[in-house]
Amino acid sequence: MDSAKIQALKTRLDGIAVEDDPALVRKKSRDFYWYSPVLKRVLDSVLGEIVVTPKTEDEVVRTLAAAFALDIPVTPRGAGTGNYGQAMPLAGGMVLDLHELSGIKDIGPGYVIAEAGALLGKIDAATRAHSGQELRMFPSTHRTASIGGFIAGGSGGVGSIRWGGLRNLGNVTRTRVVTMEAHPRVLDLTGDDIAKVAHAYGTNGIITECEVPLTVAYDWIDAIIAFDGMERATAFADALGREDGILLKELSVMGPGVGHRYFSQHGRFLTADQAAVLIMVAPHSASALEAFTRRHRGETVFRSDLIDAETAKSLPPLFELTWNHTTLVARRVEPALTYLQTLYPYPDHVAAVAKMGRLIGDEMMDHLEFIRFDSNIVCSGLPLIRFTTEERLDEIIRIFEDNGCLVFNPHRYTLEEGGMKRSDLGQLAFKREVDPKGLLNPGKMIAWDNPDFDFSDPRPYLFSQPAA
Amino acid sequence: MDSAKIQALKTRLDGIAVEDDPALVRKKSRDFYWYSPVLKRVLDSVLGEIVVTPKTEDEVVRTLAAAFALDIPVTPRGAGTGNYGQAMPLAGGMVLDLHELSGIKDIGPGYVIAEAGALLGKIDAATRAHSGQELRMFPSTHRTASIGGFIAGGSGGVGSIRWGGLRNLGNVTRTRVVTMEAHPRVLDLTGDDIAKVAHAYGTNGIITECEVPLTVAYDWIDAIIAFDGMERATAFADALGREDGILLKELSVMGPGVGHRYFSQHGRFLTADQAAVLIMVAPHSASALEAFTRRHRGETVFRSDLIDAETAKSLPPLFELTWNHTTLVARRVEPALTYLQTLYPYPDHVAAVAKMGRLIGDEMMDHLEFIRFDSNIVCSGLPLIRFTTEERLDEIIRIFEDNGCLVFNPHRYTLEEGGMKRSDLGQLAFKREVDPKGLLNPGKMIAWDNPDFDFSDPRPYLFSQPAA
């Protein structure tokens, strides 16, 4: 943008926070893309030119109208905790920072309505205080991530063992979206229409408000069950996930040594070669979990409700060692580590985990997250990888795929290459309708940029439009 | 019992309600066995001789000590709403009526502790008023059945689509049981030990107190979705059950015409040949259910939240048309109807339902109950059968079994023939320990009465002791 355009934008956005301080712009042009050595290389120089921070939906509407009139690309961001460069402005232009749009507008039985920039942890604090409720699911960045960013760029997380993913009908009840047109419209999307903007990185509308279901908040107990060997730990976790009467919020498995080596505080509860199952269980299911653990001869090495209050207070919540936080805490110890995102083929997932372990060997350390997926208990993986070269990383991905595993490649920044979101003709038509100039988060949707895009991809995707 | 023994009992039970009025004894010797024309024939003349109604656990202890000393058989009963003759005193003697033992002792986050005779509806009213909680599951006799009777003689019901059955770890947290010995002991059973007395008809200890988990109480919406044809209705229900994000409490399917013909009030919402899916859905999942119904081109013919308040008040809750209430309301219209209890083989259950319909023909009308079973969404059936002869009923059962369906025969009064509860050496050893004279509900456990009982039965059972 030349300075005339910037001035024109500032004039149109009079009264809205607009900043072009280079340090701030640089900071707001980043997310957690550096988890990936590939994205680190590719995206490191990406920069926006100006940061606009609306405080109300009206200000969002005014901002988008101005950007449309001036042909300025707009890349929205919530809290910037994504890992795939979702919030990074490939084409420069405007970073639309939504963190001030953070009001909690209504809480009722089973639901909360919050503005897009509201942090998940703040929402949970408010709903817990209001009526003992909490979000069904959240990423391990619970404290720092926004609800809008979660819906636009996430897929599930803590709670997915019970409720499935954001992809599932009912896990997001309504999204309010502002279109990128001369006169931006405000759309309330419900039912199947939510799929249009879920996990679309803000490429087809700016989410301003979200209505999501709540469930009852318990004082979840953190538990770590240790096993000799990955296979016993995986079999235990798989069987535990299938126990309909034991209420869990989280169920993950760390390969031998992972916990001991990388968990700065909880590591001391594990030996150097133990595999570990990390669990959040409701207090009234604790005795059933205990009985089930005895059946499997697991060793309960940690229970947050059985340690003294002083120690308990000094520990992070266990979920901050799961999902992508596992990668984060491991990288603090070994910065050369990176990761993959996989889905092992159901119903042979337990065997597939063992097989992939044998095939890849010491280059990989297992990290599994058990989730409910179309009602089946399946396991996804975020294995830690000792990074050597990008070629070897691609080769490892190919080995996974050749063995029937689905890989959601966290080393790509486009929706299609990331592999979670299907770009189909419906998605494309919706983008044409709400962003006719293609100004929203440009460069993230290949189907938009490439007129020869092949829509016939038979690969399964997490997020796809239901057949009409 | 001769009158001297009765007098001796009365003397020992001084201060406890003991009655031998023939009309009362007859009434208290009955349950809902007459659902089955077979049990009607076999059990119609069964009578106890005396009814003892303790008000406290201490009185239960005194009662059992007296019965032990005098060698009097004891058959416990809660509210007498069972259908398998569970509560009928085959050997005469004492009917132990536990309905006065009905206190609710504690309610906390996720749990309630209630005495065995507390009615499920009363427990739910109390937990809802206390903290917006309710039982995870209950039979369709919610208003009239007791918690102790449910655990001792039931298996699951409304809520099992979410939580599985009583058989599952975590769905009963603790049972307090009084033994039948010279000096009765009071045992608190937790974890795997609960399996000893669950669905054991009171043959191995008298349950006096139950701790069960609670979940959040919503203002559940009753919905009926109509389909042309059973196959579409079944496919819809099966797919809906697999939607992890749509919170249901009940999911059943009625074959073509069943609803129209037998539902005295809701019948008017259905045509004479429509199949119907009966649903209880949480209000915050209603819009997702709507979207899902549109995908399947189902016709929503009834929603309790969309009719006027006057009409709504005049209707029974939808769950009183499901589970064994379907049989009840159908028998009101056609008294010659009876039923079966089946479990269709997963994962081919939808096809199996269609196949059985073809094989049995007009003699049967479908009634399915979808439930979660070891984490799979499966369907159980309580098909309505036009009863002709006992031989034909047995033949129909054979046809089901020959086609891979499991039948829990509601026309048998023993645990083993009923087919839900496995009698193994562990069960037998426990009975020897807590009821050495075999005085508790005699005649209901074949393994106790028959020294040549074959424990090698390979058949799967709902309730079995976990391997040690």
Side-chain angles (χ1 to χ4, degrees):
Chain A
M1 291 195 283
D2 56 30
S3 61
K5 195 181 260 195
I6 288 182
Q7 195 47 54
L9 182 69
K10 284 182 173 174
T11 304
R12 282 174 185 258
L13 297 186
D14 186 41
I16 300 176
V18 180
E19 307 213 44
D20 50 13
D21 169 68
L24 182 83
V25 171
R26 189 183 153 77
K27 185 176 154 213
K28 294 287 185 177
S29 299
R30 258 120 192 77
D31 60 16
F32 282 68
Y33 72 106
W34 48 263
Y35 266 48
S36 159
V38 183
L39 295 185
K40 170 84 177 145
R41 175 181 63 76
V42 176
L43 299 178
D44 224 23
S45 61
V46 166
L47 267 184
E49 291 154 274
I50 201 158
V51 177
V52 180
T53 310
K55 288 188 166 65
T56 65
E57 187 180 86
D58 279 348
E59 291 189 355
V60 172
V61 169
R62 278 181 58 205
T63 302
L64 294 188
F68 185 88
L70 297 166
D71 288 322
I72 298 173
V74 172
T75 299
R77 72 186 276 119
T81 58
N83 301 111
Y84 321 129
Q86 297 104 308
M88 295 179 70
L90 296 181
M94 181 195 301
V95 169
L96 182 63
D97 183 351
L98 293 159
H99 88 275
E100 296 262 12
L101 202 72
S102 61
I104 294 173
K105 301 180 77 172
D106 189 19
I107 303 169
Y111 72 90
V112 61
I113 300 174
E115 289 184 317
L119 299 187
L120 299 168
K122 294 227 164 130
I123 294 174
D124 267 353
T127 55
R128 196 178 266 262
H130 175 275
S131 43
Q133 300 186 92
E134 66 182 20
L135 295 165
R136 284 182 175 178
M137 65 189 69
F138 53 77
S140 60
T141 47
H142 183 245
R143 291 195 225 201
T144 51
S146 71
I147 182 76
F150 183 39
I151 292 171
S155 60
V158 181
S160 288
I161 183 60
R162 188 82 197 152
W163 296 101
L166 286 174
R167 61 194 285 276
N168 292 115
L169 258 181
N171 282 336
V172 179
T173 316
R174 185 173 54 83
T175 50
R176 203 167 156 85
V177 171
V178 181
T179 66
M180 184 58 155
E181 301 173 277
H183 302 286
R185 291 168 293 156
V186 181
L187 309 176
D188 272 306
L189 304 180
T190 60
D192 282 336
D193 288 336
I194 293 168
K196 293 173 177 166
V197 297
H199 201 86
Y201 295 181
T203 55
N204 51 17
I206 301 299
I207 298 174
T208 53
E209 186 181 296
C210 312
E211 181 174 340
V212 292
L214 298 174
T215 184
V216 59
Y218 292 109
D219 291 331
W220 300 99
I221 294 170
D222 288 343
I224 303 178
I225 320 283
F227 289 88
D228 292 331
M230 186 64 190
E231 296 200 23
R232 284 187 56 216
T234 309
F236 170 79
D238 189 50
L240 176 59
R242 299 175 65 86
E243 285 290 319
D244 299 319
I246 301 182
L247 181 56
L248 305 181
K249 180 109 184 173
E250 169 64 14
L251 177 58
S252 63
V253 181
M254 303 292 159
V258 167
H260 179 77
R261 207 172 307 135
Y262 302 127
F263 296 172
S264 65
Q265 306 221 51
H266 292 83
R268 67 176 184 270
F269 302 114
L270 291 159
T271 67
D273 51 7
Q274 276 177 325
V277 180
L278 274 56
I279 295 166
M280 288 170 69
V281 62
H284 53 289
S285 283
S287 67
L289 171 62
E290 231 178 90
F292 192 76
T293 303
R294 267 195 304 274
R295 279 192 208 166
H296 281 256
R297 297 185 168 73
E299 183 190 350
T300 303
V301 296
F302 173 73
R303 274 267 300 264
S304 60
D305 59 325
L306 302 181
I307 56 175
D308 65 283
E310 199 63 24
T311 311
K313 260 170 54 185
S314 74
L315 295 172
L318 202 61
F319 72 75
E320 287 188 355
L321 301 173
T322 66
W323 291 91
N324 234 337
H325 263 68
T326 311
T327 317
L328 185 71
V329 301
R331 280 176 53 94
R332 280 194 193 129
V333 179
E334 290 179 39
L337 289 175
T338 189
Y339 74 119
L340 288 179
Q341 295 178 146
T342 63
L343 186 62
Y344 298 89
Y346 178 88
D348 304 315
H349 48 284
V350 171
V353 169
K355 184 179 184 189
M356 296 315 300
R358 285 193 304 273
L359 286 177
I360 313 285
D362 288 344
E363 233 173 324
M364 183 174 81
M365 288 170 280
D366 276 317
H367 164 200
L368 309 177
E369 294 286 346
F370 279 83
I371 57 174
R372 214 175 271 274
F373 192 94
D374 296 348
S375 96
N376 296 322
I377 300 297
V378 307
C379 73
S380 60
L382 292 91
L384 296 166
I385 307 283
R386 299 183 203 281
F387 181 73
T388 49
T389 66
E390 294 186 20
E391 292 67 34
R392 177 57 188 160
L393 194 57
D394 287 342
E395 201 172 302
I396 292 174
I397 290 172
R398 259 198 315 282
I399 297 173
F400 268 92
E401 289 177 337
D402 288 349
N403 285 278
C405 300
L406 210 57
V407 175
F408 308 105
N409 193 340
H411 307 287
R412 296 291 181 274
Y413 59 79
T414 60
L415 286 165
E416 289 87 349
E417 293 168 301
M420 286 196 188
K421 177 79 168 181
R422 175 181 298 280
S423 287
D424 56 20
L425 290 168
Q427 280 291 331
L428 196 63
F430 184 65
K431 183 163 169 75
R432 281 209 186 97
E433 184 194 326
V434 300
D435 180 25
K437 287 187 176 177
L439 291 168
L440 289 180
N441 209 347
K444 302 291 170 62
M445 191 196 282
I446 299 177
W448 178 265
D449 296 316
N450 176 6
D452 300 323
F453 184 79
D454 178 9
F455 289 101
S456 66
D457 185 358
R459 181 187 192 282
Y461 284 81
L462 293 186
F463 294 86
S464 57
Q465 295 241 90
Chain B
M1 291 195 283
D2 56 30
S3 60
K5 195 182 259 195
I6 289 183
Q7 196 44 58
L9 182 71
K10 285 183 172 174
T11 304
R12 282 173 186 259
L13 298 186
D14 185 42
I16 300 176
V18 181
E19 307 213 45
D20 50 13
D21 171 65
L24 182 84
V25 170
R26 190 182 152 78
K27 185 176 154 213
K28 294 287 185 178
S29 298
R30 256 119 195 76
D31 61 14
F32 282 65
Y33 72 107
W34 48 264
Y35 267 47
S36 158
V38 183
L39 295 185
K40 170 84 177 145
R41 175 180 65 75
V42 176
L43 299 179
D44 223 24
S45 61
V46 166
L47 267 184
E49 293 154 273
I50 201 158
V51 177
V52 179
T53 309
K55 287 189 167 65
T56 65
E57 187 179 87
D58 278 349
E59 291 189 355
V60 173
V61 170
R62 277 181 58 207
T63 301
L64 295 187
F68 185 88
L70 298 167
D71 288 321
I72 298 173
V74 172
T75 300
R77 74 186 275 118
T81 59
N83 300 111
Y84 320 130
Q86 296 105 309
M88 295 179 70
L90 296 182
M94 182 194 300
V95 169
L96 182 64
D97 183 352
L98 294 159
H99 87 274
E100 296 260 13
L101 203 73
S102 61
I104 295 173
K105 301 180 77 172
D106 190 18
I107 303 170
Y111 72 90
V112 60
I113 300 174
E115 290 183 317
L119 299 188
L120 299 167
K122 294 226 164 132
I123 294 173
D124 267 353
T127 55
R128 195 177 266 263
H130 175 276
S131 44
Q133 302 186 90
E134 65 182 20
L135 295 165
R136 284 181 174 177
M137 66 190 70
F138 52 78
S140 60
T141 46
H142 183 242
R143 293 196 223 198
T144 50
S146 71
I147 182 75
F150 183 39
I151 292 172
S155 61
V158 180
S160 288
I161 183 59
R162 190 82 198 153
W163 296 102
L166 286 173
R167 61 193 285 277
N168 293 115
L169 258 181
N171 282 336
V172 178
T173 315
R174 184 172 56 82
T175 50
R176 202 165 156 86
V177 172
V178 181
T179 65
M180 184 57 157
E181 300 173 278
H183 302 286
R185 290 169 294 154
V186 181
L187 309 176
D188 272 307
L189 304 180
T190 61
D192 282 335
D193 287 335
I194 293 168
K196 292 172 178 167
V197 298
H199 202 86
Y201 296 180
T203 55
N204 51 19
I206 301 299
I207 298 175
T208 54
E209 186 180 295
C210 312
E211 181 173 340
V212 291
L214 297 174
T215 184
V216 60
Y218 292 110
D219 291 329
W220 299 99
I221 293 170
D222 288 343
I224 302 179
I225 321 285
F227 289 89
D228 292 330
M230 186 64 190
E231 295 200 21
R232 286 187 54 217
T234 309
F236 169 79
D238 189 49
L240 176 59
R242 299 174 65 87
E243 285 291 319
D244 300 320
I246 301 182
L247 180 57
L248 305 181
K249 180 108 182 174
E250 168 64 15
L251 178 57
S252 62
V253 181
M254 303 292 158
V258 167
H260 179 77
R261 207 172 306 136
Y262 302 127
F263 296 172
S264 64
Q265 307 220 50
H266 292 83
R268 67 176 184 271
F269 302 115
L270 291 159
T271 66
D273 52 5
Q274 277 177 324
V277 180
L278 274 57
I279 294 167
M280 289 169 68
V281 62
H284 54 288
S285 283
S287 67
L289 171 61
E290 233 176 90
F292 193 76
T293 302
R294 268 195 302 276
R295 279 192 208 167
H296 281 256
R297 297 185 168 74
E299 184 191 348
T300 303
V301 296
F302 173 74
R303 275 266 300 264
S304 59
D305 58 327
L306 302 180
I307 57 173
D308 65 283
E310 198 64 22
T311 310
K313 260 170 54 186
S314 74
L315 295 171
L318 202 60
F319 72 74
E320 288 188 354
L321 301 173
T322 66
W323 292 91
N324 235 337
H325 263 68
T326 312
T327 317
L328 184 71
V329 300
R331 281 175 52 95
R332 281 195 194 129
V333 179
E334 290 180 39
L337 290 173
T338 189
Y339 74 118
L340 287 179
Q341 295 179 145
T342 62
L343 187 63
Y344 297 89
Y346 179 88
D348 304 316
H349 48 285
V350 171
V353 168
K355 183 177 183 189
M356 296 316 300
R358 283 194 305 274
L359 286 177
I360 314 284
D362 287 345
E363 233 174 323
M364 182 174 83
M365 289 170 279
D366 274 318
H367 164 201
L368 309 176
E369 294 286 344
F370 279 82
I371 57 174
R372 215 174 268 276
F373 192 95
D374 296 348
S375 96
N376 297 321
I377 300 297
V378 306
C379 72
S380 60
L382 292 91
L384 296 166
I385 306 284
R386 299 185 203 277
F387 182 72
T388 49
T389 66
E390 295 187 19
E391 291 67 34
R392 177 58 187 161
L393 193 57
D394 287 343
E395 202 172 302
I396 292 174
I397 291 173
R398 259 199 315 280
I399 297 172
F400 267 92
E401 290 177 338
D402 288 348
N403 285 278
C405 301
L406 210 56
V407 175
F408 308 106
N409 193 340
H411 306 286
R412 296 290 182 274
Y413 59 78
T414 60
L415 287 164
E416 289 87 349
E417 293 168 301
M420 287 197 187
K421 177 79 168 182
R422 177 181 296 280
S423 285
D424 56 20
L425 290 168
Q427 281 290 333
L428 195 64
F430 184 65
K431 184 164 169 73
R432 281 210 186 97
E433 185 194 325
V434 299
D435 179 25
K437 287 186 176 176
L439 291 169
L440 289 179
N441 210 348
K444 301 293 170 62
M445 189 195 284
I446 299 177
W448 178 265
D449 295 316
N450 175 7
D452 299 323
F453 184 79
D454 178 10
F455 288 100
S456 67
D457 185 357
R459 182 186 191 283
Y461 284 81
L462 294 185
F463 295 86
S464 57
Q465 296 242 90

